[in-house]
Amino acid sequence: MRMKMYKKSILHLLIILSILIVGAPVILSVIISTQTPAQVYSYPPRFLPSRNFSNFVVAWKSVNLGRMMFNSFFIAFMVSLGKILLSLLAAFAFTHFNFKGKSILFFVVLVTLLLPIPVRIVALFDIMSKLRWIDTYWGLIVPFLASATGTFLFVQRFRQVPVELLDAAKMDGCGPLRYLFQILIPLSASTIGALTVIEFIYIWNQYLWPLMATNSKHMRVVQIGVKMLISSETMNNWGVIMAGVVMTMIPPLLVFFFMQESFMRGFALGTEK
C-alpha cells in the first residue's frame, strides 16, 4: 500500500514538474509584462509581478493592436468557417458518391499536405497580385480555405457512420444535402469543434504570408504587431513587448477554453460509434 502511494506521489510530482517546465515561458511573459525596464534588467532578476499595468496601454496604443487583433480574429474566423464547410462537402463526396478517379483525387488532396504556404509563397503572391487581392481580406482568407487535414478527418468520421442510417434516410425521402446537414454534421460535432480550434490557432499565428500580402497598417495582423514592438535600433522595452504577447494569447486561449471538450473528443474517433 505504501509503495503504491509512493509511486502515485512520484507520478504527480513529475506531472507538476512537467507543467511548470511547459508553462514557464507563459508565466515569465506575464511577470515581465508588469515590470518596468529597470526591473526587467535588474540583477538578480525579479520573479514576482509588479503593479505596473501601463505596459498594456502602451502596447495597445503604440501599434494600434486593437485593429490588428480584429483583423486576426476576423481572418481566423472566416478561414475556419470556410475550411470546415469545404472539408465537409469534400469528405461527403469522397465517402458517399462513386466517380472515376476518386481514390487518385483523394490521394492528390492528401499530397497537398506536403506543400505548405512557405513552399508556394512566391507563386501564391503572383496569383494574388494578378487578382488584385494584395492588401485585402480576400488575399488573406482565400489561400487558406482548402484543407486536406479537415477533409481527411471528416472522411474518417463519415466512414464510421453505419450504412443502415443512410438506407433509413433514403427510405424517408431524405436527399443527399439534407442527410449531410441534418444527420452527418450533428454526428460530427466533436470533429468540427476539434478542427475549429486547430484552424483558428493556426491562422491566428500566421506571420510570413500576412507580412507579404499586406502593405497598409489597417490590414496588418497581430503577429506583425508584436514584431513591430521589437526595436532593432534602441533598447527594447521588454515589459511592453511581453504585454503585447500576453494580449495576443488571450483570444486563442478563450477559443480553446470554450471548445476544449469538443477538441478532446474530436480525436477519439476510434472509440466513437
Side-chain angles (χ1 to χ4, degrees):
M1 187 69 178
R2 289 184 179 180
M3 182 61 67
K4 187 176 180 180
M5 291 293 296
Y6 177 76
K7 291 182 178 179
K8 191 174 182 180
S9 301
I10 294 295
L11 179 61
H12 286 177
L13 183 62
L14 291 175
I15 292 174
I16 294 173
L17 183 62
S18 300
I19 293 173
L20 290 176
I21 293 174
V22 173
V26 177
I27 297 172
L28 190 60
S29 64
V30 173
I31 293 174
I32 294 177
S33 68
T34 63
Q35 295 180 348
T36 62
Q39 293 173 329
V40 173
Y41 290 103
S42 65
Y43 186 83
R46 294 167 55 102
F47 292 105
L48 293 176
S50 64
R51 297 181 179 179
N52 176 35
F53 296 102
S54 60
N55 291 333
F56 293 90
V57 179
V58 174
W60 184 268
K61 292 182 178 180
S62 60
V63 294
N64 197 10
L65 197 60
R67 172 68 187 190
M68 295 180 180
M69 292 184 72
F70 169 79
N71 288 340
S72 291
F73 184 86
F74 177 74
I75 294 167
F77 175 80
M78 294 304 296
V79 170
S80 300
L81 182 64
K83 275 194 172 187
I84 290 171
L85 182 59
L86 292 177
S87 298
L88 282 167
L89 294 174
F92 185 63
F94 282 126
T95 54
H96 290 78
F97 293 93
N98 292 319
F99 51 90
K100 291 183 178 181
K102 182 171 73 171
S103 300
I104 297 176
L105 187 58
F106 185 61
F107 176 76
V108 171
V109 170
L110 295 181
V111 167
T112 60
L113 291 171
L114 304 176
L115 299 171
I117 289 290
V119 174
R120 46 193 168 91
I121 196 167
V122 176
L124 184 60
F125 183 82
D126 183 56
I127 294 173
M128 293 297 108
S129 298
K130 291 178 179 178
L131 292 173
R132 297 182 180 180
W133 283 358
I134 296 298
D135 206 35
T136 65
Y137 285 120
W138 291 106
L140 295 171
I141 294 173
V142 173
F144 295 95
L145 288 181
S147 175
T149 303
T151 303
F152 176 76
L153 287 176
F154 286 123
V155 165
Q156 297 300 107
R157 184 67 187 97
F158 291 169
R159 284 176 177 172
Q160 291 186 333
V161 177
V163 181
E164 292 78 10
L165 194 60
L166 175 61
D167 295 336
K170 288 181 177 179
M171 292 179 63
D172 289 338
C174 185
L177 289 180
R178 184 182 174 188
Y179 176 71
L180 171 64
F181 286 99
Q182 292 189 359
I183 298 178
L184 287 182
I185 289 181
L187 290 175
S188 306
S190 57
T191 306
I192 294 174
L195 187 62
T196 300
V197 174
I198 293 172
E199 297 300 344
F200 186 92
I201 295 176
Y202 171 72
I203 299 300
W204 182 270
N205 290 331
Q206 283 296 311
Y207 173 76
L208 182 58
W209 175 246
L211 182 64
M212 292 188 63
T214 57
N215 300 320
S216 57
K217 291 183 178 180
H218 74 278
M219 289 301 300
R220 297 292 192 185
V221 297
V222 71
Q223 302 302 330
I224 298 177
V226 172
K227 179 63 174 66
M228 291 171 63
L229 293 173
I230 302 175
S231 173
S232 59
E233 299 178 356
T234 60
M235 180 179 293
N236 287 310
N237 187 341
W238 287 105
V240 174
I241 296 171
M242 289 298 108
V245 170
V246 170
M247 285 189 288
T248 60
M249 288 191 299
I250 294 175
L253 284 176
L254 289 176
V255 171
F256 179 78
F257 176 78
F258 287 111
M259 304 192 70
Q260 60 179 323
E261 185 177 352
S262 296
F263 179 79
M264 299 304 295
R265 292 199 339 247
F267 291 97
L269 299 177
T271 61
E272 292 186 4
K273 301 297 182 182

